[in-house]
Every structure is written in structure tokens, then in C-alpha cells.
Amino acid sequence: MPRTGRRPGTTGRTRERILQAARQDFSNAGYDGVTIRGIAAQAKVDPALVLHYFESKDGMFRAAVEFPVDPKEFIPRLLAPGLDGLGERLVKFFLETWDSPTGSPLLGLIRSVVANEEAAAILREFVTREVLARIAKALELDHPELRASLVASQLVGLAMLRYVVKVEPLASARMKDVVAWLGPTLQHYLTDPNVTRLSRAPRRQSPSRGAGDRARSPRRSSRSRSG
Amino acid sequence: MPRTGRRPGTTGRTRERILQAARQDFSNAGYDGVTIRGIAAQAKVDPALVLHYFESKDGMFRAAVEFPVDPKEFIPRLLAPGLDGLGERLVKFFLETWDSPTGSPLLGLIRSVVANEEAAAILREFVTREVLARIAKALELDHPELRASLVASQLVGLAMLRYVVKVEPLASARMKDVVAWLGPTLQHYLTDPNVTRLSRAPRRQSPSRGAGDRARSPRRSSRSRSG
């Protein structure tokens, strides 16, 4: 981030005021209803300052959620080698992120999401749009959004048992063991044709939003990226 | 529960005072360090009154955790038909409990565990001792406590995505679809010999407590209850 010439205290307070406005807007209006200009007006700053701190609407969204890693960066990197071993790479990346200083906001993220409907709504839209839709789009498999949400359910549950409630043997297990235990499950969710064959009617009344809209159209069952 | 002849207000307050003392004791001393007599003294009531409300130390533990279902009751019932289809029965029971009025304290339980280290410590001991150890003991499989904790990780993650963050398509999916998606995963964790074969050294320094102590001794790989 470029130096601004302001005192850090002022910078921090301004940034925090923009973030508060952003959280309110994302929660009230959803991602599509939010504009940089609107948030700037609400925070009583120039729109250029919002862009200076957060680069883009995406960047502001990620900061509002306090999501510690950038899906634009890590998802293509994890998917690049193809489908083979993707399950294990995902578990490994997830654990490495939690165990690194970068991952320290993750516990706070889980806490605020569980305590607070507004935080849950922002995270839901962020995860659906920025994480699941990207994975789904890249996968080129049938039911990509379902596959991605099954993967997310196993990883979030792992975090709850290993880092929040700290149940053994998961809490103290070595990373490579956890990768060996859960990798095949994620690989199954991502690539096994049976996951979707078993489900004849994957959703009820409320259609999935975000992930589905973007990723559903080219429904292929090819697994051309594998191996 | 038998009628006590007291006014409900007084009853509720006394019960709550006992529960507060119980939570403090379980958190400070662990299950084995807690006595009915000690809690009664702390709550300034007769030990008989503690037993009147909670029947046993186990019952008081469950009430302190606010765990809505009784593992002594549901675990044998789920395991009775054998290993076949156990994964699907577990998912179905879990969803039925969340969706029923009985399950309404579960969201509060997740909230307090995530917000509060003390609640996490009590739940950890409860889940390890009352849930995982019972499943592990009944399973008669190798590494029962590892298998049970992998099952728990998938179920807790399902609850987080479906009920807390509400990510689609998991949030709105029909119960039978979720059972079809996750049942095979739980079955794999419970019965697949590869789950443990892949892990050459399942734990690091801190040995697992509770579940391990009770369930580890007769390590059989027989799957005699299957079918």
C-alpha cells in the first residue's frame, strides 16, 4: 500500500469508517446494490480514497468480510495442476492458511458469523460469489455449486473441530495426516459422478443465487482437466 | 419430571443456580473432578435437589452443555441395525434433530461454543466422553475415536453451511438429498479400512484424552456387526 503522508491514527480511523459503511451497505443492498460512490458518501470521504484503500469493489467486499486470503489469487493457483490431487491440495492450503499469521482473522470471522445475522449474510454472499462461483466456473463439472458447497461444509467442520472446539485426534493431528484423511472426501465431492447422480432434485423452492447464476449454464460432465 | 409443589419461578431460579455452579465446576475441574456434593454446596442447595433436577452427574453434564438429545439413548438406537447404512442414518438423525423443536438449542450451543473458551472446553469434554467414546466403543473398528471425530467434522460443517451461514444449495436442499450426498462420506469414515491405513502416525505430542482411554484397548479390525 502506498504511503499517504497521513498520520497512522487518522488513516486507521478513516479506513475503519469506510469499512463500517461498506458492511452496512453490503448487508442492506447485497453486492450488486453497492457502489463505491454510495459508500464514500456514507463515510463522508472522497470515492478516490475508497479506491486508494481497497483498490476495487471486490477488494472492499473482501475487507468488509475480513476474509484473509484473496480467492482471485488462490483458486486459480490450486486448480492449475488439474483435478488430480485437488482434494488434498485444498485441505493442505486450508490448514496452511489457518496455521499461518495470515489465517489469524479466521477465528474472528467464524465468531462474528455465528453471533451475527448481518455478518452471516455478507459472508454468505462473499463465499457464494467469490469462492464457490469461481471454483464452480473453473471446475467444468456438472453441479459445480453443489460440489463446491459440499467441499466447504467439510472444511468448515474441520476448522470447528480442530481450531474452535479442539476435539482429538483432529486437534493435534499432523497436517499430512489430516490431508490424507480428508483429501479423498473432497476429491469425491469434486469429481465423483455419483455425488450428483444420487440427487434427483437438488433444490427446493428458493433457487441458489450467485454461484448458480454464473456457473450453471455450461453444464458439462467432461473431466478434461483431470490428470 | 415429578411435581415439586414449588412455584415455577422459584424452581427455575434454583435450577439455573445449580446449572451455573455446574458449568463453573465442569470447566474448572473437568468431568472427573466434579461431584454432585460440590455443586450442591456451591449452589447452596441440598445434594438431593441436584439429583431431583438432573437425575445423575451425566444428566447434569448434558444440561450444563445444553445438549438437546441424550447420547445414551440415540447412539445405541442408531447403531443397532449394524454398520450397513449407518452413515445415512446418522445424517438423517442429525437433520431431523436440527429441524425439530428439540434441536432449537443447537444454534445457541454453536454460538456459545464459538464465542467462549469455557463453553468450548465443556462441550469438548462432553462430545469426547459422551458422544465419540460411545460411538467408538460400539463400533468395534480400528481407530474408533478418529473415525468418530471425522464424522463429527462433516456433520458440524453441514450445520454451519445449512443452518448458520445458509449457503445454497445446501441450505434449501431436501433432507433426502443431503442424506444421499453426505451418507457415503460418513460411511467411508466409519468403515473404510483405508481411512486409517493412510495415516501412519495419527497423533503428535498430546495424546487424545477421554475417548481414547476408554475405547482404545480392544483394537479389533473385525466388522462383525456389518450387515
Side-chain angles (χ1 to χ4, degrees):
Chain A
M1 181 175 291
R3 279 158 39 94
T4 63
R6 290 158 188 270
R7 280 171 296 136
T10 313
T11 301
R13 280 198 299 277
T14 307
R15 190 176 181 280
E16 195 41 53
R17 207 167 71 231
I18 298 173
L19 271 181
Q20 274 174 15
R23 287 196 190 103
Q24 213 160 56
D25 270 23
F26 281 124
S27 154
N28 291 338
Y31 184 89
D32 290 328
V34 165
T35 61
I36 298 277
R37 188 172 297 277
I39 287 171
Q42 218 190 304
K44 299 193 171 65
V45 299
D46 191 273
L49 195 63
V50 176
L51 289 172
H52 166 76
Y53 282 127
F54 303 106
E55 290 183 21
S56 63
K57 185 165 144 181
D58 263 24
M60 205 171 51
F61 195 23
R62 185 157 80 82
V65 175
E66 301 187 73
F67 207 74
V69 282
D70 184 355
K72 266 202 313 296
E73 188 275 318
F74 77 81
I75 292 172
R77 184 159 48 82
L78 287 169
L79 292 170
L83 284 181
D84 267 6
L86 177 56
E88 300 204 343
R89 288 200 300 282
L90 275 170
V91 183
K92 189 156 179 286
F93 170 74
F94 186 76
L95 293 175
E96 279 171 352
T97 303
W98 269 93
D99 291 339
S100 78
T102 314
S104 56
L106 280 166
L107 195 57
L109 181 61
I110 286 200
R111 292 211 164 107
S112 60
V113 158
V114 166
N116 178 332
E117 284 280 340
E118 184 179 287
I122 305 183
L123 182 72
R124 173 168 62 247
E125 188 170 11
F126 181 84
V127 166
T128 303
R129 167 185 287 272
E130 301 293 318
V131 182
L132 302 187
R134 278 177 204 278
I135 295 178
K137 198 175 171 187
L139 275 182
E140 305 187 340
L141 290 164
D142 60 318
H143 295 74
E145 68 278 23
L146 167 61
R147 294 180 187 279
S149 69
L150 292 173
V151 165
S153 76
Q154 177 59 86
L155 289 178
V156 169
L158 168 63
M160 289 289 290
L161 261 80
R162 184 173 168 94
Y163 299 110
V164 179
V165 189
K166 297 177 186 141
V167 171
E168 298 297 351
L170 274 177
S172 316
R174 293 181 306 179
M175 185 183 298
K176 69 172 204 176
D177 289 318
V178 181
V179 168
W181 298 330
L182 299 186
T185 300
L186 301 203
Q187 195 71 18
H188 163 73
Y189 289 152
L190 290 166
T191 65
D192 194 328
N194 284 324
V195 166
T196 54
R197 201 182 296 150
L198 281 165
S199 102
R200 268 149 302 198
R203 59 185 71 78
R204 285 190 305 205
Q205 300 293 6
S206 81
S208 93
R209 291 161 306 172
D213 300 336
R214 255 204 258 171
R216 213 177 303 141
S217 31
R219 180 162 287 173
R220 281 164 264 175
S221 62
S222 82
R223 293 165 66 185
S224 52
R225 301 176 54 133
S226 125
Chain B
M1 181 177 293
R3 282 160 35 95
T4 62
R6 290 156 187 271
R7 278 170 299 134
T10 312
T11 301
R13 279 199 298 276
T14 306
R15 190 176 181 280
E16 195 43 49
R17 207 168 70 231
I18 298 172
L19 271 180
Q20 275 174 14
R23 287 197 190 102
Q24 214 161 56
D25 270 22
F26 281 123
S27 152
N28 291 339
Y31 184 89
D32 289 328
V34 166
T35 61
I36 298 277
R37 187 172 296 277
I39 287 171
Q42 219 189 303
K44 300 192 170 68
V45 298
D46 192 274
L49 195 63
V50 176
L51 288 173
H52 166 76
Y53 283 127
F54 303 105
E55 289 181 19
S56 62
K57 185 165 146 182
D58 263 23
M60 204 171 51
F61 195 23
R62 186 158 79 82
V65 175
E66 301 188 75
F67 207 73
V69 283
D70 184 355
K72 265 203 312 295
E73 188 276 318
F74 78 80
I75 291 172
R77 184 158 49 81
L78 287 169
L79 292 170
L83 284 180
D84 267 5
L86 177 57
E88 300 204 344
R89 289 200 299 282
L90 275 170
V91 182
K92 190 156 179 284
F93 170 74
F94 187 74
L95 293 175
E96 280 171 352
T97 303
W98 269 92
D99 291 339
S100 78
T102 314
S104 57
L106 280 167
L107 195 58
L109 180 62
I110 286 200
R111 291 213 163 105
S112 60
V113 158
V114 166
N116 178 331
E117 284 280 342
E118 183 179 288
I122 304 182
L123 181 71
R124 173 169 62 247
E125 187 170 12
F126 182 83
V127 165
T128 303
R129 168 185 287 270
E130 300 293 317
V131 182
L132 302 187
R134 279 177 204 278
I135 295 179
K137 197 173 172 190
L139 274 182
E140 304 187 342
L141 290 164
D142 60 317
H143 295 75
E145 70 277 23
L146 167 61
R147 295 180 186 278
S149 69
L150 292 173
V151 164
S153 77
Q154 177 59 87
L155 290 178
V156 169
L158 168 63
M160 288 290 287
L161 262 82
R162 184 172 168 95
Y163 299 109
V164 179
V165 189
K166 297 179 185 137
V167 171
E168 298 295 352
L170 274 177
S172 315
R174 294 181 306 180
M175 185 184 296
K176 70 173 204 176
D177 289 318
V178 182
V179 169
W181 298 330
L182 299 185
T185 300
L186 300 204
Q187 194 70 18
H188 163 73
Y189 289 152
L190 290 166
T191 64
D192 194 327
N194 283 324
V195 166
T196 52
R197 200 181 299 151
L198 280 163
S199 100
R200 266 150 303 200
R203 58 184 70 76
R204 287 189 304 205
Q205 299 295 6
S206 81
S208 92
R209 292 160 303 174
D213 300 336
R214 253 203 258 172
R216 213 177 304 142
S217 29
R219 180 162 286 173
R220 280 164 263 175
S221 62
S222 83
R223 293 166 66 184
S224 52
R225 299 178 57 133
S226 126

